[in-house]
Amino acid sequence: MTLTPITHPLLTRPGLRHGFFTRQGGVSTGLYEGLNTGVGSSDDPVAVAENRRRVAEHLGGVPNDIAACYQIHSVVARVAEAGWKGQRPEGDAVVSAAPGVICAVLTADCAPVLLADPEAGVVGAAHAGWKGALGGVIHSTVAAMEALGARPGRIVAVVGPCISQDSYEVGADFQDRVEHHDAGAGRFFAPGADASKRRFDLPGYVLWRLEQAGVGDAAWTGEDTRTDAARFYSNRRAYLNGEPDFGRLMSAISLG
């Protein structure tokens, strides 16, 4: 099956290649059926390697061109001057000004964010779960791009498929925590099933953080990973279904 990544007009420009890859077009089977790119999953490593090769090939490269961190829900943004050849330093964002480097993040409900300043020739990818988004991974990614010559006002960013507000129930204490950190963040919460629950708008919150970081233009692709099992892996769905593990989706961007 042909890979059919989701793309967005903000990043569809000369000199840029990008894609929010779905689970379609891969060789994994069983629980991980499809394009599982998660090295940290319990899937067959040979299948995962082939899936990652297909992603790299789709973006005009090879697996050694991929720069993707060992993600720890941090605010650490790494600079990749070349592909990492399978190495995975800890962090949650990658930026590069080097043509051919595939900046990538893996998600399964968290928000993948792809960014670019086409004029400066700088791209980046960030993994923004609630913890990273709250802590400042968006700001650190933009700062790392700025250090390579980008200007925040010229940066365009797209938030890819992630868990949506209708699917993301949290405790009321979580809202208190977020509002304590960010005055005004209450707008991203809606009532839950009862008084002790809330529903959190992760993509909306990430877009707000991009705005706070000075990004010139940003959008969300609009897909909910939890509700679309045919196209997306989902940590929350796997938990609710009592499944022992889940695949990981790759989102990536490169110059070239």
Side-chain angles (χ1 to χ4, degrees):
M1 183 185 294
T2 303
L3 271 61
T4 54
I6 294 163
T7 58
H8 193 277
L10 281 179
L11 295 172
T12 305
R13 305 180 182 216
L16 293 181
R17 293 176 175 174
H18 80 285
F20 298 94
F21 291 85
T22 70
R23 65 188 296 176
Q24 297 171 345
V27 300
S28 292
T29 60
L31 190 66
Y32 309 99
E33 181 178 357
L35 193 73
N36 174 32
T37 54
V39 176
S41 72
S42 297
D43 193 7
D44 178 1
V46 174
V48 173
E50 171 59 17
N51 292 335
R52 292 169 74 98
R53 187 198 66 78
R54 293 185 180 195
V55 169
E57 182 181 60
H58 187 89
L59 294 174
V62 297
N64 280 346
D65 296 326
I66 296 173
C69 292
Y70 179 86
Q71 296 169 183
I72 54 174
H73 297 278
S74 69
V75 300
V76 175
R78 302 279 185 181
V79 176
E81 297 178 350
W84 287 346
K85 300 180 180 179
Q87 297 299 308
R88 294 191 302 146
E90 290 188 347
D92 286 272
V94 185
V95 304
S96 185
V101 174
I102 300 173
C103 297
V105 291
L106 274 65
T107 58
D109 285 339
C110 291
V113 187
L114 301 181
L115 311 92
D117 178 343
E119 184 176 334
V122 181
V123 295
H127 162 244
W130 72 261
K131 189 173 183 180
L134 183 66
V137 71
I138 298 300
H139 288 71
S140 62
T141 305
V142 171
M145 292 177 67
E146 194 171 5
L148 293 177
R151 292 183 183 176
R154 289 195 312 233
I155 293 175
V156 292
V158 179
V159 181
C162 61
I163 193 167
S164 76
Q165 187 168 33
D166 288 343
S167 295
Y168 197 4
E169 192 168 69
V170 297
D173 57 334
F174 177 72
Q175 179 176 354
D176 294 339
R177 178 177 183 178
V178 174
E179 287 194 276
H180 178 75
H181 188 281
D182 278 321
R187 75 187 81 172
F188 301 108
F189 292 87
D194 56 53
S196 69
K197 300 294 184 181
R198 302 288 188 273
R199 288 182 292 111
F200 180 47
D201 181 5
L202 175 63
Y205 181 71
V206 172
L207 287 170
W208 187 47
R209 297 296 267 168
L210 287 162
E211 180 183 350
Q212 289 177 320
V215 167
D217 200 0
W220 174 40
T221 59
E223 295 87 2
D224 182 351
T225 47
R226 191 186 74 81
T227 59
D228 192 346
R231 289 200 297 166
F232 306 115
Y233 300 112
S234 166
N235 184 358
R236 177 66 62 104
R237 186 178 63 243
Y239 172 77
L240 293 174
N241 291 343
E243 297 168 351
D245 198 11
F246 48 90
R248 278 72 162 178
L249 305 160
M250 182 172 282
S251 300
I253 188 168
S254 65
L255 297 165

